[in-house]
């Protein structure tokens, strides 16, 4: 009898959870990166390649652990990258994008589909769906050391635990 009640409870909880997850849809957002008409000293972003991935890194240490730039990546071989002539979407400003990332944090990838529109030299745009890079929490891999006050030998150290 206990097992039947437990079984039905698990079924009810899983069905409620799946209905809640179905109701959550990602919001599509768009941001234009223009490195062509922006001088090098005034750029807030950098475009580049690392292995087979392309990245867009913003000079903003606004996502914990705060020691890395805000970075988005995409794989041009696997993802839908298109060249478009006109932007027919409402695009975000840098401030709006930054606020969304800070507010959502690591949950950003579950709440938003971000498409970066890169301005190309022939006045077209490269459209790529990107994903946020979440860096692991940094760890300290050493112990504090101090000189022993009782020792006359400065090479003798004692560990502070």
């Amino acid at each position: 009898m206990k097992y039947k009640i437990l079984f039905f409870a698990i079924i009810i909880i899983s069905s409620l959870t799946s209905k809640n997850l179905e109701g959550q849809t990602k919001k599509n957002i768009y941001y234009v990166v223009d490195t062509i008409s922006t001088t090098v000293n005034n750029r807030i972003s950098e475009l580049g390649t690392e292995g087979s991935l392309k990245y867009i890194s913003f000079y903003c240490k606004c996502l914990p652990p705060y020691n890395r730039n805000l970075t988005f990546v995409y794989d041009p071989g696997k993802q839908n990258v298109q060249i478009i002539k006109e932007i027919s979407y409402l695009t975000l400003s840098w401030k709006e994008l930054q606020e969304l990332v800070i507010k959502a944090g690591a949950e950003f990838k579950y709440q938003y589909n971000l498409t970066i529109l890169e301005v190309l030299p022939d006045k077209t745009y490269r459209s790529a769906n990107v994903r946020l890079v979440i860096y692991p929490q940094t760890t300290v891999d050493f112990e504090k050391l101090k000189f022993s006050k009782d020792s006359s030998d400065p090479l003798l150290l004692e560990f502070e635990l």
Side-chain angles (χ1 to χ4, degrees):
M1 183 68 175
K2 287 182 187 179
Y3 294 112
K4 288 181 181 179
I5 293 172
L6 182 61
F7 178 71
F8 286 118
I10 290 172
I11 290 174
I12 290 171
I13 291 172
S14 66
S15 67
L16 291 174
T17 305
S18 66
K19 286 180 183 177
N20 287 340
L21 292 176
E22 286 175 10
Q24 294 177 353
T25 57
K26 291 182 178 183
K27 183 177 180 183
N28 294 322
I29 55 176
Y30 304 89
Y31 181 76
V32 176
V33 175
D34 186 2
T35 57
I36 293 176
S37 63
T38 309
T39 62
V40 175
N41 293 338
N42 291 324
R43 289 184 187 161
I44 62 167
S45 62
E46 170 187 333
L47 301 168
T49 303
E50 188 71 34
S52 65
L53 298 176
K54 295 216 178 239
Y55 68 86
I56 297 96
S57 185
F58 294 93
Y59 305 130
C60 168
K61 297 180 185 204
C62 50
L63 191 63
Y66 302 110
N67 61 350
R68 305 265 175 95
N69 288 332
L70 179 62
T71 304
F72 296 92
V73 296
Y74 68 96
D75 186 348
K78 293 184 180 178
Q79 293 180 335
N80 190 10
V81 178
Q82 302 174 358
I83 304 298
I84 58 174
K85 293 183 181 185
E86 291 182 9
I87 298 175
S88 59
Y89 317 107
L90 181 62
T91 60
L92 298 174
S93 68
W94 164 242
K95 183 178 178 183
E96 292 169 328
L97 177 61
Q98 184 181 14
E99 287 173 356
L100 287 177
V101 170
I102 290 170
K103 184 178 176 185
E107 297 298 312
F108 184 86
K109 66 181 179 179
Y110 302 113
Q111 297 175 7
Y112 301 100
N113 286 321
L114 176 61
T115 300
I116 296 288
L117 303 164
E118 177 189 352
V119 179
L120 299 175
D122 60 353
K123 300 195 190 253
T124 59
Y125 302 89
R126 179 180 295 127
S127 169
N129 295 331
V130 297
R131 68 179 193 274
L132 177 64
V133 175
I134 302 292
Y135 295 101
Q137 186 70 27
T138 56
T139 59
V140 178
D141 218 15
F142 61 89
E143 297 289 331
K144 292 182 181 179
L145 300 174
K146 68 178 184 176
F147 287 105
S148 175
K149 295 177 184 176
D150 300 332
S151 173
S152 60
D153 186 1
L155 295 177
L156 284 176
L157 300 174
E158 77 180 32
F159 288 95
E160 182 179 295
L161 299 174

